[in-house]
């Protein structure tokens, strides 16, 4: 896990002053890689160029996880004229290394970084589909006069870029590294509208800053220096295969356990987040089979209505696992939210992001764990969200399977599962008639039709690619990297994703249960967790805090609102809506309030220059 910065000049050359700036922009995210740094320049377009000039720059900050020796420092070259800067981990590097040795390739290190370069030499850019991992990397192929930027399958590792009017292209791990290169800093109002209205984040290539874009997942961005061209080429697609229930159950266990196993490969200590839910509990149980004594970490609410502590305790006691609990209180929101705004670079969806930042901060302070397993992605591939139950009912009605509809509804009612958890205020984003523009939003925009899909499998793909996973992986990456920690996601193994997109819906939603296949397969889980009826996940009493504990803070911020000054919202109308939310009038949800509050803090940080330097995480604008 690392931080990178790349600069490419298609028309001209950079000079020594640019070099110093690029080194500074690389080091701006030194928390992503505190163990080592490296910088390299190239003249690719011409064999000779003016003195001290260059047209390509590679910058790298290293967090050492695998082969922690200096031989793994980057930029890294393999002696063939190819260089790489790489952020991420390749979990199947052991198997790929063996494959490449059998093909006659030699290795000078034990790093997964070198495996990527050798895969490129052996198979070209298409070979990246062999990688099982998370990554954002840049390869400079000097002999071919091209640069390849690649991003993993599921948007786990970030890769941003900016193209200037001078045909200079900049790439980075975080947006803040690109902000000094913008001619003018402007809010992307289309992105802001969809965020405030629908809560959408990272659903396309755009960011909250005009001109700054994201490299697409599953994609290589190829720059040919001699032709001065930029091309996006997809290197991977989903692969759907038919299979029967018995085979699916067997393959699920096999792939899930192997996904956890290879994500334990590390030369530093590995721990896990444990919420008490199915996904994180399953990962901890699987980990315990391969690595006894794993440390786990949990965020717990003191309010028992929101607490999953009893499920955490059940697993910890049955499996004799070490666990650390952080009791998250509203004071911690105020203590950490400003730092979270800095590290996220963009508005985020709610205060649970601050809770996760806080537990990762705690992990850094009280343990020597560097790598952490997390259950993100499980809800999307296993149909764990409540919405999938209702999407399935809709599909069954379209297919005129009314008997199946009745069975699903009756099971849910009798078992007190999904139907008992329905909340119209949270569900409205999927109901077109309820997606009227919130009256306090002043900017214009079009609603993203997130309720549209053709099949349930396509619905899952949309959530993995656009509407859910990218936002979750965004905040997990920034929160973990802020503390020089690496998060790994076993559920987002491409083999597991393909399998769970292929299996029948009845193995994911059955008899009123969500995530049926994991409940059926993981007999190692305590039954109290395996067959628990509610779904909470990473939850805090956010609604109560917004109505009570944070009321004064919110009112204070919107007396002098930057969003209001920018013409994005009408702060008076928002405060009216906030008052209605507090008395449960109308369909305002706590998420509507959180989004505006967080967007206001973000605007103060990045667009109100009275607040100070946006490169300083400790700048708190109260």
């Amino acid at each position: 896990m690392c931080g990178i910065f790349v600069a490419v000049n298609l028309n001209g050359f950079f000079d020594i002053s640019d070099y110093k700036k690029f080194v500074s922009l690389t080091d701006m995210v030194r928390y992503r890689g505190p163990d080592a740094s490296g910088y390299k320049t190239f003249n690719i377009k011409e064999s000779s160029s003016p003195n001290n000039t260059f047209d390509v720059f590679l910058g790298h900050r290293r967090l050492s996880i695998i082969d922690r020796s200096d031989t793994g420092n980057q930029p890294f070259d393999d002696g063939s004229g190819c260089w790489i800067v790489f952020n991420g981990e390749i979990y199947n590097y052991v198997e790929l290394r063996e494959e490449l040795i059998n093909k006659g390739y030699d290795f000078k290190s034990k790093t997964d970084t070198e495996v990527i370069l050798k895969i490129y030499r052996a198979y070209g850019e298409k070979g990246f589909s062999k990688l099982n991992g998370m990554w954002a990397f840049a390869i400079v192929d000097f002999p071919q006069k091209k640069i390849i930027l690649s991003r993993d399958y599921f948007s786990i590792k970030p890769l941003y870029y900016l193209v200037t009017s001078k045909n200079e292209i900049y790439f980075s791990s975080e947006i803040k590294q690109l902000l000094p290169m913008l001619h003018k800093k402007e809010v992307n109002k289309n992105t802001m509208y969809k965020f405030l209205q629908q809560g959408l984040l990272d659903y396309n290539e755009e960011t909250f800053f005009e001109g700054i874009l994201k490299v697409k997942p599953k994609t290589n961005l190829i720059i040919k220096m001699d032709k001065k061209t930029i091309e996006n080429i997809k290197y991977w697609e989903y692969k759907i295969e038919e299979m029967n229930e018995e085979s699916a159950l067997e393959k699920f266990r096999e792939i899930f356990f192997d996904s956890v196993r290879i994500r334990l490969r590390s030369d530093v200590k590995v721990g896990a987040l444990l919420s008490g839910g199915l996904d994180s509990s399953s990962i901890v149980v699987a980990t315990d089979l391969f690595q006894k004594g794993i440390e786990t970490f949990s965020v717990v609410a003191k309010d028992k209505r929101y607490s999953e502590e009893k499920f955490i305790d059940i697993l910890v006691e049955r499996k004799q696992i070490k666990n650390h609990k952080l009791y998250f209180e509203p004071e911690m929101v105020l203590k950490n939210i400003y730092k979270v705004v800095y590290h996220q670079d963009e508005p985020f969806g709610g205060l649970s992001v601050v809770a996760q930042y806080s537990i990762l901060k705690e992990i850094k302070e009280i343990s020597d764990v560097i790598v952490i397993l997390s259950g993100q992605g499980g809800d999307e591939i296993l149909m764990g969200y409540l919405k999938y139950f209702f999407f399935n009912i809709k599909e069954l009605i379209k297919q005129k399977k009314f008997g199946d509809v009745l069975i699903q509804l009756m099971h849910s009612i009798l078992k007190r599962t999904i139907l008992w958890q329905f909340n119209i205020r949270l569900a409205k984003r999927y109901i077109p008639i309820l997606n009227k523009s919130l009256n306090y939003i002043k900017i214009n925009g079009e609603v993203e039709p997130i309720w549209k899909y053709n099949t349930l499998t396509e619905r899952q793909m949309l959530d993995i690619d656009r509407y859910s996973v990218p936002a979750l992986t965004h905040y997990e990456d920034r929160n973990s990297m802020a503390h020089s920690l690496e998060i790994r996601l076993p559920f987002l193994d491409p083999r597991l994703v393909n399998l769970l997109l292929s299996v029948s819906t009845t193995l994911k939603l059955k008899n009123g249960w969500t995530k049926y296949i994991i409940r059926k397969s993981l007999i190692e889980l305590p039954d109290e967790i395996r067959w628990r009826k509610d779904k909470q996940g990473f939850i805090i009493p956010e609604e109560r805090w917004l109505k009570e504990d944070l009321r004064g803070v919110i009112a204070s911020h919107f007396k002098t609102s930057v969003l209001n000054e920018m013409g994005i919202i009408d702060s008076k109308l928002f405060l009216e809506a906030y008052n209605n939310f507090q008395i449960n009038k109308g369909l305002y949800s706590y998420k509507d309030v959180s989004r505006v509050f967080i967007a206001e803090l973000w605007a103060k940080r990045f667009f109100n220059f009275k607040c100070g330097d946006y490169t300083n995480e400790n700048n708190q604008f109260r």
Side-chain angles (χ1 to χ4, degrees):
M1 205 66 100
C2 305
I4 66 175
F5 182 83
V6 178
V8 179
N9 196 324
L10 284 178
N11 291 342
F13 295 92
F14 299 117
D15 59 24
I16 189 67
S17 65
D18 293 314
Y19 177 82
K20 292 177 181 178
K21 181 188 294 183
F22 299 160
V23 168
S24 176
L25 293 173
T26 304
D27 292 344
M28 183 184 286
V29 293
R30 59 170 43 87
Y31 48 80
R32 295 187 71 95
D35 298 327
S37 61
Y39 322 95
K40 176 74 177 174
T41 62
F42 304 85
N43 289 313
I44 294 182
K45 292 194 297 291
E46 301 174 12
S47 57
S48 61
S49 60
N51 289 335
N52 296 319
T53 64
F54 56 96
D55 51 20
V56 176
F57 171 92
L58 298 181
H60 187 264
R61 297 292 318 192
R62 185 185 184 198
L63 177 63
S64 303
I65 302 291
I66 294 172
D67 186 356
R68 305 187 76 201
S69 70
D70 290 347
T71 58
N73 289 345
Q74 302 177 40
F76 185 96
D77 78 295
D78 68 349
S80 69
C82 291
W83 292 75
I84 185 172
V85 286
F86 162 47
N87 169 31
E89 299 290 349
I90 307 303
Y91 307 118
N92 64 335
Y93 77 100
V94 175
E95 293 79 8
L96 292 175
R97 191 173 191 271
E98 189 64 30
E99 175 186 325
L100 291 161
I101 288 172
N102 291 336
K103 289 174 72 72
Y105 287 91
D106 296 321
F107 287 81
K108 64 181 181 181
S109 77
K110 296 180 180 179
T111 65
D112 53 344
T113 306
E114 188 172 7
V115 169
I116 297 172
L117 276 183
K118 294 296 197 301
I119 284 288
Y120 172 66
R121 283 180 59 192
Y123 303 105
E125 299 98 343
K126 292 182 180 179
F128 302 152
S129 63
K130 286 178 166 286
L131 306 177
N132 186 338
M134 54 182 182
W135 69 84
F137 59 72
I139 293 175
V140 173
D141 185 336
F142 201 92
Q144 297 294 321
K145 295 186 180 295
K146 65 180 179 181
I147 299 103
I148 303 100
L149 284 298
S150 184
R151 195 171 180 214
D152 63 53
Y153 311 115
F154 307 122
S155 306
I156 302 174
K157 301 315 297 173
L159 187 55
Y160 296 97
Y161 71 100
L162 165 67
V163 182
T164 73
S165 59
K166 297 179 181 178
N167 245 3
E168 298 163 350
I169 315 168
Y170 302 103
F171 299 88
S172 67
S173 294
E174 297 190 9
I175 288 174
K176 62 177 63 66
Q177 295 168 274
L178 298 180
L179 293 180
M181 312 311 293
L182 282 171
H183 175 68
K184 183 181 180 183
K185 194 165 54 172
E186 295 180 280
V187 174
N188 183 325
K189 292 184 178 179
N190 181 55
T191 300
M192 179 61 81
Y193 176 82
K194 287 181 172 61
F195 171 69
L196 295 177
Q197 176 66 30
Q198 297 177 274
L200 286 178
L201 289 161
D202 292 281
Y203 72 98
N204 64 9
E205 300 147 75
E206 297 182 7
T207 69
F208 280 80
F209 295 91
E210 283 286 356
I212 296 179
L213 303 171
K214 296 185 286 285
V215 174
K216 298 177 185 177
K218 312 178 185 64
T219 300
N220 297 325
L221 189 152
I222 300 172
I223 303 170
K224 294 182 179 179
M225 297 295 284
D226 51 352
K227 297 180 180 178
K228 300 182 181 180
T229 59
I230 305 171
E231 186 178 12
N232 284 285
I233 299 176
K234 228 175 184 182
Y235 62 81
W236 189 83
E237 294 281 1
Y238 294 109
K239 187 178 181 181
I240 309 299
E241 299 176 345
E242 289 187 11
M243 64 187 72
N244 59 41
E245 180 171 327
E246 183 180 348
S247 175
L249 289 167
E250 184 179 324
K251 284 188 175 181
F252 175 79
R253 275 187 66 88
E254 175 190 336
I255 295 174
F256 175 69
F257 282 113
D258 192 60
S259 175
V260 173
R261 180 185 67 84
I262 63 175
R263 281 163 180 77
L264 293 172
R265 289 172 170 168
S266 170
D267 292 332
V268 296
K269 191 172 180 180
V270 180
L273 297 177
L274 177 60
S275 70
L278 263 177
D279 300 340
S280 64
S281 299
S282 298
I283 289 170
V284 170
V285 164
T287 300
D288 192 55
L289 297 177
F290 302 111
Q291 180 179 304
K292 294 294 181 183
I294 189 169
E295 284 189 66
T296 62
F297 305 87
S298 307
V299 173
V300 177
K302 287 187 176 179
D303 188 330
K304 296 299 181 184
R305 292 173 297 171
Y306 302 93
S307 177
E308 297 199 290
E309 188 171 11
K310 68 176 182 180
F311 297 107
I312 294 168
D313 290 343
I314 288 169
L315 190 65
V316 167
E317 289 169 12
R318 300 272 176 88
K319 299 296 179 180
Q320 294 297 295
I321 293 164
K322 189 175 182 181
N323 179 253
H324 303 274
K325 293 174 184 171
L326 173 69
Y327 290 91
F328 194 65
E329 291 295 299
E331 295 79 19
M332 294 182 185
V333 174
L334 296 176
K335 181 180 178 181
N336 290 323
I337 193 167
Y338 305 105
K339 292 181 179 180
V340 178
V341 169
Y342 167 79
H343 282 289
Q344 292 294 322
D345 284 333
E346 298 180 279
F348 46 93
L351 301 183
S352 62
V353 179
V354 185
Q356 197 212 40
Y357 174 93
S358 302
I359 189 65
L360 293 169
K361 181 174 181 284
E362 182 96 345
I363 291 170
K364 186 69 174 180
E365 292 173 352
I366 68 171
S367 78
D368 56 351
V369 167
I370 301 296
V371 171
I372 303 156
L373 303 184
S374 166
Q376 293 291 18
D379 283 315
E380 290 77 11
I381 66 173
L382 290 161
M383 291 191 177
Y385 292 124
L386 305 184
K387 66 184 179 185
Y388 289 119
F389 177 83
F390 296 100
F391 288 153
N392 187 41
I393 294 295
K394 179 182 172 183
E395 287 298 296
L396 292 173
I397 291 172
K398 279 171 57 178
Q399 297 165 17
K400 298 184 178 180
K401 295 181 178 179
F402 302 114
D404 290 342
V405 171
L406 185 60
I407 289 170
Q408 293 298 322
L409 293 174
M410 289 304 298
H411 273 293
S412 180
I413 292 169
L414 293 173
K415 293 172 183 173
R416 300 180 67 87
T417 57
I418 301 164
L419 285 176
W420 294 84
Q421 300 166 53
F422 180 76
N423 184 323
I424 187 64
R425 290 185 173 92
L426 298 179
K428 65 182 180 181
R429 68 198 299 249
Y430 298 105
I431 305 171
I433 197 171
L434 298 180
N435 262 273
K436 297 175 181 178
S437 188
L438 296 164
N439 71 332
Y440 51 77
I441 301 175
K442 292 175 69 175
I443 51 177
N444 295 320
E446 293 184 5
V447 171
E448 179 76 10
I450 61 174
W451 51 82
K452 285 188 177 181
Y453 60 92
N454 293 313
T455 66
L456 281 176
T457 300
E458 182 187 296
R459 175 72 239 181
Q460 284 185 275
M461 291 179 182
L462 286 169
D463 284 337
I464 294 166
D465 290 341
R466 300 188 64 197
Y467 298 140
S468 185
V469 165
L472 299 175
T473 54
H474 177 134
Y475 80 70
E476 282 215 329
D477 172 85
R478 305 316 181 278
N479 279 347
S480 58
M481 285 282 87
H483 304 294
S484 306
L485 300 173
E486 174 175 294
I487 284 189
R488 297 179 176 181
L489 309 175
F491 283 106
L492 292 181
D493 184 302
R495 299 169 300 168
L496 196 60
V497 173
N498 274 335
L499 172 71
L500 288 165
L501 290 176
S502 297
V503 302
S504 167
T505 298
T506 57
L507 271 176
K508 290 170 277 192
L509 299 171
K510 189 170 186 176
N511 297 337
W513 298 106
T514 61
K515 301 183 180 179
Y516 183 78
I517 191 170
I518 199 169
R519 298 178 195 267
K520 183 75 173 175
S521 300
L522 261 69
I523 56 175
E524 294 84 357
L525 277 171
D527 281 350
E528 295 94 327
I529 297 172
R530 188 179 170 203
W531 297 107
R532 58 178 294 190
K533 298 174 181 179
D534 60 330
K535 171 178 172 48
Q536 293 195 91
F538 199 69
I539 193 166
I540 56 173
E542 186 166 354
E543 182 169 354
R544 178 172 64 79
W545 290 354
L546 290 168
K547 288 181 176 180
E548 300 172 11
D549 304 82
L550 301 177
R551 183 167 51 195
V553 175
I554 292 171
S556 174
H557 271 290
F558 288 94
K559 284 180 182 177
T560 53
S561 167
V562 174
L563 290 179
N564 187 81
E565 291 175 10
M566 297 171 79
I568 292 172
I569 68 164
D570 183 316
S571 58
K572 289 183 179 179
L573 290 177
F574 169 71
L575 287 174
E576 287 179 15
Y578 178 51
N579 289 333
N580 287 333
F581 159 74
Q582 292 179 76
I583 59 175
N584 296 318
K585 183 179 179 181
L587 288 178
Y588 298 110
S589 78
Y590 71 89
K591 291 189 176 184
D592 295 329
V593 175
S594 280
R595 289 197 299 268
V596 181
F597 176 47
I598 291 165
E600 177 66 27
L601 298 185
W602 172 80
K604 282 184 165 72
R605 161 70 70 180
F606 289 96
F607 288 90
N608 181 6
F609 295 103
K610 295 177 184 177
C611 294
D613 183 0
Y614 60 78
T615 65
N616 175 11
E617 72 166 351
N618 293 310
N619 170 32
Q620 296 190 4
F621 32 86
R622 295 187 184 276

